[in-house]
């Protein structure tokens, strides 16, 4: 079933999402060969720069299922929503989804905002309480994760949400499906993950 949304309703316009104020950022060309280990430790590079599923990685790291708390589903229409510029590759009108990724026992591990072509979001997120990886795996959807940017920066909202002080590491990437961009995802990871991955930087 295809969802219908009223893109003329001003009340449907979104509240804010949690973008980092970067201390440092790297574009696709900077991160493609990998970063110096003095900037980002190898284990963290596997999480941030790899093309595997973060929710699957988090589950393997913690030994607990990765669960999702959906905190926002907002119509943004054709607004660029202060998202990375590659949002223009995702056809509009668009819908934005915001979630916390957490351990089953409750600890928040990551925050994610994603932008979808609104007319197709229900096709790919049939159960919106599932992680995106789990939803698409159920559909046997073949995807290519195209990491386009990495950030190191601050966010007061994420400090409150993670209950950890920043700065935080984050990234954005496009999911490609059948040669077309399916969704743009912006993820930020909690420093709690140093428990499993070690420090983010190598001296």
């Amino acid at each position: 079933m295809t969802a219908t949304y009223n893109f003329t309703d001003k009340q449907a316009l979104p509240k804010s999402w949690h973008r980092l104020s970067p201390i440092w950022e790297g574009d696709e060309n900077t991160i493609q060969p990998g970063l110096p280990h003095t900037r980002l430790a190898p284990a963290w590079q596997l999480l941030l720069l790899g093309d595997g599923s973060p929710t699957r990685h988090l589950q393997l790291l913690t030994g607990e299922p990765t669960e999702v708390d959906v905190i926002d589903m907002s119509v943004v229409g054709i607004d660029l929503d202060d998202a990375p510029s590659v949002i223009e590759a995702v056809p509009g009108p668009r819908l934005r989804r915001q979630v916390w990724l957490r351990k089953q026992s409750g600890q928040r591990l990551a925050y994610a905002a994603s932008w979808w072509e609104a007319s197709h979001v229900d096709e790919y997120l049939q159960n919106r309480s599932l992680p995106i990886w789990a939803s698409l795996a159920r559909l046997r959807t073949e995807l290519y994760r195209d990491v386009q940017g990495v950030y190191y920066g601050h966010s007061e909202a994420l400090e409150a949400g993670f209950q950890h002080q920043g700065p935080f590491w984050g990234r954005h990437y496009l999911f490609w499906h059948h040669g077309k961009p399916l969704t743009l995802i912006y993820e930020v990871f909690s420093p709690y993950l140093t428990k499993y991955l070690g420090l983010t930087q190598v001296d």
Side-chain angles (χ1 to χ4, degrees):
M1 179 181 295
T2 300
T4 57
Y5 302 96
N6 182 0
F7 295 102
T8 62
D9 183 358
K10 296 299 183 183
Q11 298 303 313
L13 292 176
K15 53 188 177 181
S16 63
W17 61 281
H18 307 317
R19 183 170 188 164
L20 294 177
S21 297
I23 301 168
W24 177 89
E25 57 187 302
D27 61 16
E28 187 176 15
N29 293 328
T30 302
I31 64 179
Q32 195 279 330
L35 298 176
H37 293 174
T38 51
R39 167 131 356 240
L40 186 61
W44 280 87
Q45 295 207 41
L46 289 173
L47 179 65
L48 279 156
L49 307 184
D51 58 6
S53 161
T55 50
R56 176 64 173 159
H57 289 163
L58 294 174
Q59 180 174 326
L60 293 173
L61 285 170
T62 66
E64 295 184 32
T66 303
E67 299 192 347
V68 167
D69 293 325
V70 180
I71 56 176
D72 176 39
M73 293 284 287
S74 292
V75 173
V76 298
I78 59 171
D79 191 275
L80 299 182
D81 201 26
D82 196 32
S85 60
V86 291
I87 192 176
E88 296 184 77
V90 179
R94 290 178 284 265
L95 189 78
R96 187 192 62 212
R97 178 182 190 250
Q98 294 187 77
V99 303
W100 295 110
L101 300 177
R102 59 172 174 82
K103 296 198 297 185
Q104 190 175 50
S105 56
Q107 176 67 49
R108 288 175 177 170
L109 305 173
Y111 159 83
S114 58
W115 292 264
W116 302 76
E117 184 178 1
S119 61
H120 293 303
V121 67
D122 285 345
E123 177 183 348
Y124 294 106
L125 298 180
Q126 294 175 1
N127 183 343
R128 295 184 183 181
S129 66
L130 288 177
I132 290 173
W133 167 77
S135 295
L136 298 177
R138 286 187 173 192
L139 298 172
R140 300 293 190 267
T141 304
E142 294 185 7
L143 296 166
Y144 169 60
R145 192 185 312 266
D146 182 11
V147 180
Q148 302 240 329
V150 169
Y151 308 89
Y152 185 58
H154 290 283
S155 164
E156 290 185 5
L158 293 181
E159 284 193 358
F162 288 138
Q163 296 186 339
H164 277 272
Q165 287 190 329
F168 308 105
W169 281 97
R171 65 177 182 173
H172 76 267
Y173 55 90
L174 286 170
F175 260 151
W176 292 79
H177 177 51
H178 291 159
K180 297 180 180 179
L182 174 64
T183 182
L184 166 64
I185 300 180
Y186 187 105
E187 292 170 339
V188 180
F189 295 94
S190 170
Y192 175 83
L193 292 172
T194 57
K195 175 178 178 180
Y196 305 100
L197 295 170
L199 297 177
T200 58
Q201 294 175 321
V202 177
D203 292 333

